[in-house]
Amino acid sequence: MFRGKKYQESAKLVEKTALYDTAEAMDLVVKTAPAKFDETVELHVKLGVDSRHADQQVRGAIVLPHGTGKTQRVLVFAKGDKAAEAKAAGADFVGEMDMVEKIQKENWFDFDVVVASPDMMGVVGRLGKVLGPKGLMPSPKAGTVTPNVAQAVNDIKAGKVEYRLDKTNIIHCPIGKVSFGPEKLLENCNALIGAIVKAKPSAAKGQYIRSCVCTSTMGPGIKINNAKLT
């Protein structure tokens, strides 16, 4: 695979076989971000669980201390007072069947997170086939099905991220922007790792965190010493 000159220069700063302390890794991820735009920094954590088993699922959400650097567009399914509360909290879109129809008829997806009050899940359920594959279906575990929709909107706007296993037992999650600098990225990283460790299923056997890599959008992957993470 051909890589550009900027990437190659950045990659020289990273030892491929080295396992870095988290603080060193955050320092390097900032130094090796080659793009002119403000790159997103992501954490990729491979876990020693099997996502095919219900009792080994790892999923949850956390408000990062410094947010993600991205403003999330929030769609809320609610009615009456709950709808008014969601609007007051800063939700970008609020509705009921009108939003269902807009998504179904117009293939409209100009939002990043979906929140629903419990009484609206019958309506939202109709969108399962389109929201599910995109990872947008609200769930109680992620705190996006809740009677307190205003708090959910506030948390998301403050930098709440959802983490969940993919089919290969890896969690991919943003922890901020390169412009945050190493210290803020380190605090966000530690907060996310702490949440993942706390969410360890009781059915998980052996080594829980198998590997951990951080990377910026256009930069090389930097391996973190996972022995110090649990």
Side-chain angles (χ1 to χ4, degrees):
M1 185 178 181
F2 177 76
R3 299 284 195 174
K5 275 185 185 175
K6 284 183 179 176
Y7 178 93
Q8 289 174 12
E9 287 301 312
S10 295
K12 285 177 187 174
L13 299 172
V14 181
E15 283 184 53
K16 278 187 180 177
T17 55
L19 293 174
Y20 293 94
D21 283 348
T22 317
E24 280 182 288
M26 295 306 124
D27 203 36
L28 268 174
V29 83
V30 171
K31 285 178 182 168
T32 57
K36 288 179 180 175
F37 64 89
D38 192 8
E39 296 179 46
T40 295
V41 177
E42 283 193 345
L43 203 62
H44 306 275
V45 187
K46 186 169 180 65
L47 298 180
V49 294
D50 188 342
S51 61
R52 291 172 300 179
H53 299 290
D55 63 352
Q56 293 187 44
Q57 286 296 326
V58 179
R59 182 178 184 180
I62 180 175
V63 178
L64 296 175
H66 303 287
T68 61
K70 181 188 176 188
T71 305
Q72 301 273 51
R73 296 165 300 174
V74 185
L75 164 61
V76 177
F77 285 94
K79 55 188 175 186
D81 290 346
K82 299 280 184 207
E85 286 168 19
K87 281 177 187 167
D92 300 87
F93 312 100
V94 182
E96 301 173 51
M97 271 307 295
D98 54 330
M99 289 296 171
V100 173
E101 287 169 8
K102 188 174 174 68
I103 291 166
Q104 287 175 332
K105 292 177 182 175
E106 300 174 28
N107 200 29
W108 173 75
F109 289 100
D110 291 342
F111 48 87
D112 305 296
V113 186
V114 181
V115 173
S117 58
D119 60 331
M120 294 302 292
M121 283 310 290
V123 171
V124 180
R126 301 178 191 198
L127 296 169
K129 285 183 180 175
V130 289
L131 293 182
K134 292 178 182 288
L136 290 169
M137 195 67 184
S139 83
K141 267 195 175 177
T144 44
V145 176
T146 171
N148 194 344
V149 290
Q151 184 61 52
V153 172
N154 283 329
D155 286 347
I156 292 161
K157 293 289 185 181
K160 184 179 185 177
V161 292
E162 184 184 350
Y163 55 88
R164 61 191 295 186
L165 281 179
D166 67 8
K167 286 177 183 174
T168 59
N169 305 315
I170 298 174
I171 288 172
H172 310 271
C173 207
I175 55 167
K177 297 280 189 181
V178 167
S179 61
F180 282 21
E183 287 177 13
K184 286 184 178 177
L185 286 171
L186 178 60
E187 286 181 34
N188 276 0
C189 177
N190 286 340
L192 177 61
I193 291 288
I196 292 170
V197 169
K198 241 186 208 174
K200 180 180 178 179
S202 54
K205 299 285 184 279
Q207 189 181 1
Y208 181 51
I209 295 182
R210 294 280 173 89
S211 66
C212 185
V213 176
C214 69
T215 178
S216 61
T217 309
M218 307 295 284
I222 297 156
K223 293 173 185 171
I224 295 172
N225 188 350
N226 54 307
K228 296 184 179 181
L229 298 179
T230 47

